[in-house]
Amino acid sequence: MIITTHRSRRAGRSPLGRVTRGAVFAAAIGCFAMSAMSTASAETYPDKPINLIVSYPAGGSVDVSARILQDPLSKALGQPVVVENKGGAGGTIGTAIVAKAKPDGYTLLITLSSHTINPAIYTSLPFDTENDFSPVSMVASAPQILVANPKFPPSSLAELIEYSKKHPDEVPYGSAGTGSPSHIAGELFKMKTGLNLTHIPYRGGGPATIDVLGGTIPLLWVSLPSVTQHIKSGRLKALAVSTKDRTPVLPDVPSVAETISGFNVDSWYAMFAPANTPAPIVNKIQAAIADAAKDKKIQEAFLAQGAVVVGGTPAELDQVVKTEVPMWKALAKQANIKIN
């Protein structure tokens, strides 16, 4: 009995100990295998074309940025980068596609700073802005700009304010979409001036630009790269830029802040991958963007469109997202901007 009891106690301890150690060992092997697979995939990445999803329609500023980067990224990564426009719903349609994509580096997102605005204005989103993406790199930064059809009477911000006061409820303005940086700029302008301008949202800066060129709408808040060439050709007249300082691209165009103290809305373009994309793959893509950002031809291409190349690390972009999401939520609440 003593022997049996002794063996039973040992039998009760040892199998449990072996199972526990075995489980730990198996988990360790699993982690090692996953790490090895990630390293291996990063070493061979990419071995097929990469889909770059643009969250806005063709012709807009995000699309312009993507196509400037398309060739240098293809050369740096050794595979074709295929630009695919998936616009609509303030950039959320294309963004949702990337959120649900396989995290292998073959589906990427380039989007506008509306990425951090959307959580503030949509009651629900088909993705989690802060957790469903792996930040890759900031790409470029550009101000929003208020432009008008040449036939629209006001030719300055002061004239617009005076004209709008004399014609209340008669002046609409377009934007790249509800909740877009251009919409935020427009609503902030309304708040600061007390003007009752009617917002007309479009599915991106491209379609909105077409309508203001054609005279369908008189005014448009839009990202500068979408309309720079039209301003220089005289097909649109620029009233003001949204940043606190003037842009070197159009130094004669005043900033809103010169008329309205404290006004400042900047916008950026950035690249994201689906969450859990292996860090070595993210870093390889980021390095390709960083190299492109150093190229003077790329810098000039962005500058010609009114944007400045930024670049940066995944950690820096992650910090931008974490800073701006709560900031835009506060502004959207104050301006009562909400999409059901």
Side-chain angles (χ1 to χ4, degrees):
M1 291 177 64
I2 296 175
I3 294 175
T4 302
T5 303
H6 177 65
R7 290 179 62 187
S8 296
R9 286 196 300 268
R10 293 189 61 184
R13 290 194 303 268
S14 298
L16 179 60
R18 285 196 298 271
V19 170
T20 302
R21 288 193 297 272
V24 171
F25 180 73
I29 290 296
C31 290
F32 177 78
M34 289 179 65
S35 176
M37 288 175 63
S38 295
T39 301
S41 63
E43 290 176 351
T44 59
Y45 174 85
D47 58 11
K48 61 181 181 180
I50 299 164
N51 290 327
L52 179 56
I53 302 296
V54 179
S55 60
Y56 286 88
S61 59
V62 186
D63 180 62
V64 170
S65 299
R67 295 183 190 280
I68 289 175
L69 284 177
Q70 185 177 17
D71 186 56
L73 289 185
S74 295
K75 291 179 179 178
L77 296 172
Q79 289 290 337
V81 173
V82 181
V83 173
E84 188 175 358
N85 296 90
K86 294 291 183 181
T92 63
I93 292 176
T95 302
I97 291 172
V98 177
K100 296 176 176 63
K102 186 177 180 180
D104 57 6
Y106 291 100
T107 303
L108 304 173
L109 171 72
I110 184 164
T111 191
L112 193 59
S113 48
S114 56
H115 186 68
T116 57
I117 298 172
N118 288 335
I121 64 173
Y122 283 88
T123 53
S124 64
L125 289 171
F127 51 82
D128 185 319
T129 300
E130 296 184 77
N131 297 310
D132 285 351
F133 303 92
S134 294
V136 177
S137 177
M138 191 69 75
V139 173
S141 175
Q144 299 295 311
I145 187 166
L146 180 61
V147 295
N149 182 281
K151 294 182 180 179
F152 187 57
S155 295
S156 69
L157 209 57
E159 290 179 9
L160 171 63
I161 293 172
E162 185 65 24
Y163 181 89
S164 298
K165 288 179 178 178
K166 292 180 179 178
H167 300 83
D169 304 319
E170 296 180 16
V171 182
Y173 81 91
S175 80
T178 300
S180 65
S182 55
H183 180 207
I184 293 296
E187 292 303 302
L188 183 60
F189 180 70
K190 286 170 59 177
M191 288 174 59
K192 293 281 189 178
T193 60
L195 299 177
N196 191 22
L197 306 178
T198 302
H199 175 227
I200 309 296
Y202 284 79
R203 294 185 63 184
T209 300
I210 291 173
D211 270 10
V212 75
L213 284 169
T216 303
I217 55 173
L219 286 172
L220 173 64
W221 275 104
V222 69
S223 186
L224 183 55
S226 298
V227 293
T228 302
Q229 298 307 318
H230 296 307
I231 294 170
K232 291 182 177 180
S233 69
R235 297 184 67 198
L236 292 174
K237 54 184 177 183
L239 304 186
V241 294
S242 66
T243 44
K244 62 180 181 179
D245 299 314
R246 298 190 181 196
T247 172
V249 180
L250 300 170
D252 294 332
V253 178
S255 68
V256 177
E258 292 175 36
T259 302
I260 303 172
S261 179
F263 191 101
N264 183 35
V265 178
D266 201 352
S267 61
W268 45 258
Y269 311 96
M271 190 174 293
F272 295 84
N276 300 316
T277 299
I281 291 178
V282 170
N283 292 337
K284 185 172 287 189
I285 301 166
Q286 186 274 331
I289 295 173
D291 286 343
K294 297 174 185 176
D295 188 326
K296 288 187 176 180
K297 290 184 179 179
I298 299 301
Q299 293 172 3
E300 291 172 357
F302 273 105
L303 195 60
Q305 299 297 328
V308 177
V309 175
V310 177
T313 66
E316 289 170 341
L317 178 54
D318 185 52
Q319 186 58 47
V320 169
V321 172
K322 290 178 178 177
T323 299
E324 290 194 358
V325 167
M327 178 179 70
W328 290 129
K329 283 183 178 180
L331 179 60
K333 182 177 181 181
Q334 182 181 0
N336 194 29
I337 303 173
K338 187 66 67 176
I339 299 176
N340 295 322

